[in-house]
Amino acid sequence: MSRMGTSRTSRGRVRVARLLFLASLPLTLAFSAACSSASASTPVLGTPVATTSAGAQQVTIHAFDAMRFEPNVITVHVGQTVELTLTNDGSSDHDFALSEGVAEPVKIVVKGGQSAMSTFTLDRPGTYSFTCSQFGHAGAGMRGVLIAQ
């Protein structure tokens, strides 16, 4: 009889352990998802680092294979030329695409480990979105905001 009692107790403990594991699994997954989305949407602020002799605001944005731009929020002056350099710190192709607030759409495409530059001017104050237009990148969080003041 004691052998049978021990067997029931062992099975009961295993059952309780399984239930605890299964009960904690959704909480663990929810916590992981919350942490990963929070880091993807955390603003990394940037402003022009210098002004050229011609008065252009120099801005550098880094693109990463972790589907993020750094900085992902940039403040510039309205009516002053922006000289934007996109540096690809990853190995996949990335780009900077801006179609709002500019006379003509801006697109800078760079291969892994390379940089490219373009100039543009924002004529009106506002908040404008930029993205990486490579397939699936913007949807994975590779986007940012350009604030013209």
Side-chain angles (χ1 to χ4, degrees):
M1 179 142 189
S2 69
R3 185 175 180 196
M4 191 172 236
T6 303
S7 178
R8 282 186 192 162
T9 304
S10 295
R11 280 187 271 163
R13 287 184 186 148
V14 169
R15 209 173 292 156
V16 168
R18 283 183 187 163
L19 286 174
L20 286 174
F21 172 76
L22 292 174
S24 68
L25 192 57
L27 183 60
T28 302
L29 292 174
F31 180 76
S32 296
C35 288
S36 65
S37 65
S39 63
S41 64
T42 302
V44 178
L45 305 177
T47 56
V49 293
T51 304
T52 66
S53 60
Q57 306 168 86
Q58 293 180 320
V59 176
T60 298
I61 297 177
H62 294 267
F64 298 94
D65 287 345
M67 299 303 143
R68 65 183 172 87
F69 287 115
E70 195 171 293
N72 59 3
V73 177
I74 302 161
T75 303
V76 297
H77 299 288
V78 173
Q80 191 175 353
T81 301
V82 176
E83 185 178 282
L84 191 137
T85 301
L86 180 63
T87 299
N88 186 343
D89 293 320
S91 58
S92 301
D93 289 358
H94 292 295
D95 64 57
F96 170 92
L98 174 69
S99 58
E100 305 172 304
V102 288
E104 292 185 31
V106 178
K107 188 168 184 177
I108 307 170
V109 181
V110 289
K111 297 202 174 291
Q114 297 183 358
S115 294
M117 191 266 301
S118 183
T119 59
F120 57 90
T121 304
L122 295 158
D123 294 324
R124 293 185 320 272
T127 301
Y128 306 102
S129 298
F130 62 88
T131 64
C132 177
S133 65
Q134 300 295 310
F135 181 75
H137 290 200
M142 200 162 190
R143 60 179 75 101
V145 176
L146 192 60
I147 302 166
Q149 299 179 334

